[in-house]
Amino acid sequence: MKAIIQEKYGSPDDLQLREVDKPAPGDDEVLVRVRAASVHPDVWHVVTGRPYVLRLMGAGLRKPRNPIPGTDMSGIVESVGKSVTRFRPGDPVFGETTVKHQWANGGAFAEYVSVRQDLLALKPDNVTFEQAASVPSSGLIALQNLRDPSRLRPGQKVLINGGGGGVGALALQLAKAHGAHVTAVDGTRKLDMLRSLGADEVLDYTREDFTRRGVRYDLIFDVPGNHPFSACRRALEPDGRYVLIGHERFGASGKRVFGLVPHFLTLIFLSRFVAQLRGPGVPMPTKKDAMGTLRDLLAAGKITPIIDSTYPLRRAREAFRHMIEDEIQGKVMITVAEAV
Ligand SMILES: NC(=O)c1ccc[n+]([C@@H]2O[C@H](COP(=O)([O-])OP(=O)(O)OC[C@H]3O[C@@H](n4cnc5c(N)ncnc54)[C@H](OP(=O)(O)O)[C@@H]3O)[C@@H](O)[C@H]2O)c1
């Protein structure tokens, strides 16, 4: 099969299209003929090997353990392992290919990928393969951090900082689907998109600082983390909750070694004393459950993935460059057609 190969950590420009062996599905795995895959910030992290700490977290010490990048994909089931009960050849599916976190290559930038069955869900008919493949990682991180969005009470005030990005746009729609009043913050050119996704109020971060408006929120879902927690606290109800996702803007944060890990550890330590930093007391959904929730919300039209652009597999380098250098709106996708 044809696949994008990453031999070492470095630049997306080092990626190459090569002919490699087709994977063989294990007993609990499904072999998927890939139709679309998503280029998102975590794929960039593993291609560059930055922050370096990710190499110790399972991505591979000297070079990537799996040479084929990509974690989010959709496609058609080609064959199934002998223990697979949930899918059959011919089923359209989508999912995340990595069993643990997204800081590892998952083999999605290829004509075929083998995926554990509990990481997949059936693709709803009302979304395209590109739309479906844009959802898994961003949707999982949004759901795992919102925990149980059905516990949001109608009318609760939620602020999504970075609402126009991959994770933020899904968090915005999840909060709206559960009746919250959502304020979304992002740059000037994304404000119309935020309104079209259902935001009740939009704020332009180039003009306004949400921590200084005198408005308090029940939940702040913070993707860029550009304000210290002490400032965000000004905008939180006393019994409100703060969630940091963290965005390094493709290395612009300069934290090459540990990335945002020290910042997260500080917040975890502070959560011993500050209730607003504690989780909601419900366990994180499993990937299987979260994929089922995302599937249902897509099928019901409650979340609508926005696609910025699509590139064929052989132009993966350009897809990365576009994501990093240009002003994108929505996800950058790779499509895998017969002719690659
Ligand atoms: N995607 C995942 O599944 C996942 C999982 C784990 C961790 N993460 C981390 O989560 C981060 C976010 O991923 P993503 O896919 O949502 O990234 P993204 O699509 O680049 O979204 C980030 C958004 O934040 C906006 N932003 C930048 N500075 C801002 C500011 N000062 N105030 C408000 N908004 C601002 C960006 O706008 P501009 O375009 O104007 O800069 C962009 O719309 C990534 O760094 C990733 O490592 C993601």
Side-chain angles (χ1 to χ4, degrees), residues 1 20-25 31 33 78-79 111-113:
M1 68 168 185
V20 296
D21 289 341
K22 205 162 142 179
L31 182 68
R33 172 87 166 90
E78 179 87 357
S79 61
E111 287 182 286
Y112 295 90
V113 64

Side-chain angles (χ1 to χ4, degrees), residues 23-32 77 79-85 87 97 99 113-120:
D27 288 354
D28 198 31
E29 289 182 340
V30 172
L31 182 68
V32 181
V77 173
S79 61
V80 298
K82 61 177 186 229
S83 313
V84 172
T85 50
F87 302 101
T97 57
V99 175
V113 64
S114 231
V115 190
R116 231 171 64 178
Q117 63 167 332
D118 59 349
L119 305 177
L120 295 171

Side-chain angles (χ1 to χ4, degrees), residues 41-42 45 102 137-138 141 161-162 164-167 186 189-190 205 223-224 226 245-249:
D42 286 311
H45 280 298
Q102 295 90 1
S137 286
S138 307
I141 193 83
N161 193 28
V167 178
D186 215 300
R189 70 205 154 71
K190 291 192 180 164
Y205 73 77
V223 177
N226 55 308
I245 303 302
H247 182 44
E248 296 194 70
R249 302 176 66 100

Side-chain angles (χ1 to χ4, degrees), residues 5 56 58 96 110 209 221 322 338:
I5 298 294
L56 294 170
E96 188 182 69
D209 176 347
F221 185 99
H322 178 54
E338 299 298 327

Side-chain angles (χ1 to χ4, degrees), residues 38-45 51 71-72 96 101-103 134-142 144-145 160-170 184-190 193-194 203-206 208 210 221-227 244-250 260 264 323 326-331:
S38 146
V39 185
H40 58 77
D42 286 311
V43 189
W44 175 88
H45 280 298
T71 61
D72 293 17
E96 188 182 69
H101 51 73
Q102 295 90 1
W103 272 6
S134 76
V135 167
S137 286
S138 307
L140 293 174
I141 193 83
Q144 286 172 340
N145 282 281
I160 313 279
N161 193 28
V167 178
L170 287 175
V185 187
D186 215 300
T188 317
R189 70 205 154 71
K190 291 192 180 164
M193 181 177 88
L194 297 178
L203 297 178
D204 182 343
Y205 73 77
T206 65
E208 207 167 351
F210 75 85
F221 185 99
D222 187 1
V223 177
N226 55 308
H227 298 282
L244 175 68
I245 303 302
H247 182 44
E248 296 194 70
R249 302 176 66 100
F250 309 111
L260 298 174
F264 279 104
M323 174 180 72
D326 300 333
E327 296 188 341
I328 60 167
Q329 293 221 19
K331 286 271 183 172

Side-chain angles (χ1 to χ4, degrees), residues 1-5 7 16-20:
M1 68 168 185
K2 290 196 169 54
I4 294 295
I5 298 294
E7 283 189 334
Q16 293 184 8
L17 183 70
R18 295 235 191 101
E19 200 72 41
V20 296

